[in-house]
Amino acid sequence: MSSPSTAPTRTPVRRLITVVLLVPVLAALALWAFAWPAARTAPRDVPLGVAGPAAATAPIEKRLGEREGAFEIHRYADEAAAREAIQDRTVYGAVVATDRGPKLLTASAASPTVAQLLQRTVAPQAASGGAQIDTADVVTAPANDPRGAALSASVLPLALAGIAAGSMVTALGPRGVRAAVALLGAAALVGVVAAAVAHSWLDVLTGDWWAEAAAFGLSTLAVGGAVAGLGALAGTAGAGIMAAVVMLLGNPFSGAASAPHMLPEPAGAIGQWLPPGAGATLLRSVAYFDGAAATGPALTLAWWAALGLGAVLLGGTLGARAANRADTADEKKLAPVT
């Protein structure tokens, strides 16, 4: 039989061992989530247009096909159609067969990384005999952010804002409608402040101001609602799990720094189903492409927000019923026996 004096020390020792073992696991998970996509960045079925007569584009398509799996070829009748597809965010760029030789169309606003890739790899492949190829940037990145660094840097602050809002609602205890109103108000203010900083001050966004504010706010609400919703149903642990998913998967898998098609699968697809990736795609669409291809990411964020707020309201209802049952039980205990 162990002495009573040694028993209390076991729990701290076990906790110490748990910390020692858990921290390396978390570090390995974080390194995998952030370093793996960065180390495996490469084109994977990047949508690319080829425009012109079939006889002229066939050799170009053949040369592009030598990089198996790198590009998903879309065919267009002429340069005007290819430009329209780029502006609609159907393709990242296009190779146009002209009388003077191939011409490369890019869109640095869609992804500076992909635009540079096309100039570095597609242009030499499209041209024959080492000839020079003309290049035109159809939708240019803003002069104050030519590399897209500011837009990609906005993903983490928005995620942190959403996590903070959801965590504070979980910790401070407002339930039901009050919690939902708090999340909506915080997201709206974040959207206005973020648009004021990125558009009005830094001048790195060039779209409609209110559309950009709405994109910022919806991204924050999607994260905040998800964190608070799971917190309302599963407590602090639930909020922590959702925050970890956003930080360890949503941010590195967002593709904001390059493009979803440049990430290894299934990271690129997963990232677009999570709020940070959908938010970055939506912001790029409204900031540089007049809202083209914004419906998909907007719906993704709306679903996250709706499910999160629904869980918050449900958690509030369940909590109120539990409190009422507890009060009723207390009243019965205190009632005098007749």
Side-chain angles (χ1 to χ4, degrees):
M1 181 176 180
S2 60
S3 62
S5 60
T6 60
T9 63
R10 292 180 179 176
T11 299
V13 170
R14 290 175 180 174
R15 290 177 180 175
L16 179 61
I17 294 174
T18 301
V19 170
V20 170
L21 296 177
L22 186 59
V23 169
V25 171
L26 292 176
L29 179 61
L31 285 173
W32 166 79
F34 283 87
W36 172 56
R40 297 292 184 268
T41 299
R44 293 173 176 85
D45 293 324
V46 174
L48 179 67
V50 174
T57 58
I60 297 175
E61 291 186 38
K62 182 179 179 180
R63 286 191 289 269
L64 293 175
E66 294 175 358
R67 298 191 61 175
E68 186 175 354
F71 301 105
E72 178 186 275
I73 301 301
H74 296 242
R75 296 170 181 82
Y76 300 101
D78 51 28
E79 180 176 343
R83 284 178 174 269
E84 184 177 353
I86 293 173
Q87 293 167 348
D88 289 341
R89 302 205 69 188
T90 303
V91 294
Y92 283 91
V95 180
V96 182
T98 69
D99 296 337
R100 296 177 297 177
K103 180 178 181 180
L104 177 64
L105 304 179
T106 63
S108 58
S111 171
T113 301
V114 174
Q116 294 173 5
L117 169 74
L118 297 180
Q119 293 173 355
R120 186 174 64 253
T121 63
V122 173
Q125 286 181 309
S128 59
Q132 294 293 324
I133 182 172
D134 293 334
T135 302
D137 196 347
V138 177
V139 186
T140 60
N144 289 336
D145 189 26
R147 295 178 298 175
L151 188 144
S152 60
S154 68
V155 174
L156 180 58
L158 289 178
L160 290 175
I163 290 172
S167 300
M168 291 179 67
V169 166
T170 302
L172 296 179
R175 295 179 177 177
V177 175
R178 291 183 178 181
V181 170
L183 291 169
L184 288 167
L189 289 176
V190 168
V192 171
V193 171
V197 171
H199 186 119
S200 303
W201 178 38
L202 297 177
D203 197 23
V204 295
L205 303 179
T206 59
D208 180 78
W209 196 95
W210 287 107
E212 293 164 358
F216 281 126
L218 185 57
S219 298
T220 304
L221 181 61
V223 175
V227 172
L230 200 53
L233 297 178
T236 304
I241 291 172
M242 193 65 241
V245 169
V246 171
M247 289 299 298
L248 295 180
L249 295 181
N251 281 294
F253 291 2
S254 68
S258 55
H261 293 87
M262 296 290 288
L263 301 181
E265 290 297 342
I270 292 174
Q272 293 306 295
W273 282 104
L274 293 174
T281 301
L282 175 61
L283 181 60
R284 196 180 294 277
S285 290
V286 300
Y288 307 133
F289 292 87
D290 294 327
T295 302
L299 287 176
T300 299
L301 293 173
W303 273 111
W304 276 101
L307 290 175
L309 293 177
V312 167
L313 296 174
L314 177 61
T317 301
L318 295 177
R321 289 180 179 176
N324 289 334
R325 286 195 297 268
D327 291 341
T328 302
D330 291 340
E331 290 175 359
K332 288 182 179 180
K333 290 179 181 178
L334 295 174
V337 178
T338 58

